[in-house]
Amino acid sequence: EFLDLKSIVSILIIIGLLFLAIKNLRSKNIFSFAILYFFISISIVSNIVIIIGAPMAERFAYVPSLGFCIALGYFIVLISDKIKLLTNYPQVKVFSLMTILLLAYSYKTVSRNSAWKNNLTLFETDIQTSNNSSRAHLFLGIELLKRTKETQRAINEMSKAVAINSKYRDAHYNLGVAFEKLNKLDSAKICYLNTIELDSMHVRSFNNIGMIYGKFGKFDKAVENLQIAIKKVPKYGNAYTNLGSVYGKAGQFDKAIEMLNRSLKLKPSNFRAYDNLGIVYAQKRDYEKAIVNFNKALAINPKLSNAHFNLGITYQTIGEREKAKKHFEKAYQLNPKLKR
């Protein structure tokens, strides 16, 4: 917190160092140069002057640390001169001082290595030292969300990020994604609405709300939100794909085909659009075009289990059982859940 004693002391030290650096700059003082070099270089990655999209980390302190090293080195030189004047065996005492510093920083470097095992260990370690950082909680939540059995933990971390900073747009959005993964669609929709309140141009939230309404069978609301996303970003291909899917579920096949073709015009490698086109043509009982589009989807992504499954259904419908069996087996191999 800003009014925390540590924060106040840190701010006072920074102000004092900057004051001394500027005051002694004209005299070409080495400490002044080192201090200003440190603060100027670290300001670029501090998320104060420019938002860089990543939390503060030691890797960003590599260049600024040169300023600290210059100041420390010059300090040792000054100390060594004093030691030469005051004591016998000055080289031994200077060497001893440098050895202690080297060992201390070496220990700190080695002990930190275990935190870099992977992103999860890194972010879990960061939470221990920056428990009041909304970014640290969000990044840990995003990493947990990548793991199948850690979705609830991800929600807990992202909720903490929102509690710390209620205006953190990305925290609200990713919390919505996490709720949607657990099929808690009402909670997800609230998070997406909160995101839009903070950023009216956040088209992914409109897109996701549209898909949630589609799952609820509220196709008019789904179309409305997906069209808003497209209006705000006319080249948003995913929104066209999803709008085509919604029109297909609503039985408006011609509109579905139009939207899916627009999506493919924007991104010809969109295998989801081809898969959805196949579904729409199958619903229209144009099985020949359905098969063509399912195969186009598989040509781009051979591991698309849904396309194999849909091809199986299509071949089964037209009586080609061997081909149907082949694609069903491939679909189940890629995604055993499709057997249910």
Side-chain angles (χ1 to χ4, degrees):
E1 296 180 5
F2 184 74
L3 295 179
D4 182 74
L5 180 60
K6 290 182 180 179
S7 299
I8 294 172
V9 171
S10 298
I11 291 169
L12 290 175
I13 290 172
I14 290 169
I15 293 172
L17 286 172
L18 287 172
F19 173 77
L20 290 173
I22 294 170
K23 180 182 178 183
N24 297 312
L25 185 61
R26 287 188 178 181
S27 62
K28 297 182 180 180
N29 184 279
I30 292 178
F31 284 125
S32 293
F33 171 80
I35 291 167
L36 290 175
Y37 178 91
F38 175 84
F39 283 116
I40 291 171
S41 57
I42 205 168
S43 68
I44 299 169
V45 294
S46 65
N47 285 308
I48 296 174
V49 180
I50 303 170
I51 302 298
I52 64 171
M56 190 59 195
E58 62 261 40
R59 65 185 183 277
F60 297 135
Y62 180 75
V63 172
S65 68
L66 177 59
F68 174 77
C69 292
I70 291 171
L72 181 61
Y74 186 57
F75 176 75
I76 291 173
V77 169
L78 294 178
I79 289 294
S80 65
D81 289 340
K82 296 285 185 181
I83 292 173
K84 287 177 184 178
L85 294 173
L86 299 175
T87 67
N88 297 320
Y89 308 107
Q91 293 86 351
V92 174
K93 295 188 177 181
V94 171
F95 179 77
S96 299
L97 175 62
M98 294 185 67
T99 300
I100 292 169
L101 289 171
L102 179 63
L103 289 173
Y105 282 108
S106 296
Y107 170 77
K108 188 66 177 175
T109 300
V110 172
S111 65
R112 178 66 172 165
N113 284 344
S114 59
W116 285 88
K117 180 181 178 181
N118 53 49
N119 282 342
L120 182 59
T121 58
L122 178 61
F123 295 139
E124 284 179 333
T125 304
D126 289 345
I127 285 297
Q128 296 173 17
T129 55
S130 303
N131 193 43
N132 287 326
S133 168
S134 57
R135 283 173 173 263
H137 284 288
L138 174 61
F139 291 142
L140 175 57
I142 291 172
E143 191 60 34
L144 288 167
L145 195 59
K146 297 174 184 177
R147 290 160 168 77
T148 307
K149 297 181 180 180
E150 298 284 8
T151 306
Q152 187 55 56
R153 270 190 72 198
I155 288 173
N156 294 341
E157 293 300 329
M158 292 174 184
S159 296
K160 289 177 184 177
V162 169
I164 293 169
N165 183 1
S166 61
K167 294 184 178 181
Y168 194 3
R169 183 201 67 181
D170 292 346
H172 285 286
Y173 175 76
N174 283 285
L175 183 57
V177 173
F179 277 127
E180 198 168 353
K181 189 175 179 180
L182 284 184
N183 206 34
K184 296 182 177 180
L185 301 183
D186 286 323
S187 296
K189 188 178 73 170
I190 291 170
C191 292
Y192 295 140
L193 288 171
N194 288 336
T195 306
I196 291 168
E197 188 176 340
L198 293 167
D199 180 4
S200 62
M201 287 298 294
H202 201 274
V203 293
R204 285 178 295 168
S205 291
F206 285 108
N207 176 77
N208 292 1
I209 290 172
M211 294 306 293
I212 289 172
Y213 277 124
K215 291 174 182 177
F216 287 149
K218 297 180 179 180
F219 300 124
D220 289 343
K221 284 283 189 180
V223 169
E224 178 186 339
N225 280 276
L226 289 165
Q227 286 180 337
I228 290 172
I230 291 169
K231 184 177 180 181
K232 289 180 179 292
V233 180
K235 292 186 178 181
Y236 187 21
N238 283 343
Y240 283 107
T241 303
N242 292 329
L243 185 55
S245 176
V246 169
Y247 277 133
K249 290 177 182 178
Q252 299 182 52
F253 301 133
D254 291 336
K255 285 186 176 181
I257 291 169
E258 179 188 351
M259 292 301 111
L260 291 167
N261 280 325
R262 285 191 187 183
S263 176
L264 287 166
K265 188 175 180 181
L266 290 168
K267 187 180 178 182
S269 62
N270 187 345
F271 52 83
R272 281 186 60 240
Y274 280 120
D275 187 39
N276 286 337
L277 263 177
I279 293 170
V280 173
Y281 279 119
Q283 289 173 314
K284 291 186 72 176
R285 299 185 180 181
D286 189 340
Y287 300 117
E288 184 178 345
K289 286 185 178 180
I291 291 169
V292 167
N293 281 281
F294 289 138
N295 280 320
K296 284 182 178 179
L298 289 172
I300 298 168
N301 183 2
K303 294 184 178 181
L304 186 61
S305 58
N306 285 345
H308 281 290
F309 188 75
N310 292 330
L311 261 176
I313 293 173
T314 305
Y315 279 127
Q316 189 177 62
T317 302
I318 62 177
E320 296 193 34
R321 300 196 177 197
E322 286 302 316
K323 289 183 178 180
K325 181 182 177 182
K326 171 189 170 185
H327 284 285
F328 279 136
E329 287 176 350
K330 187 64 177 178
Y332 299 150
Q333 179 187 344
L334 292 167
N335 185 3
K337 292 181 180 180
L338 291 172
K339 284 185 177 180
R340 299 174 185 176

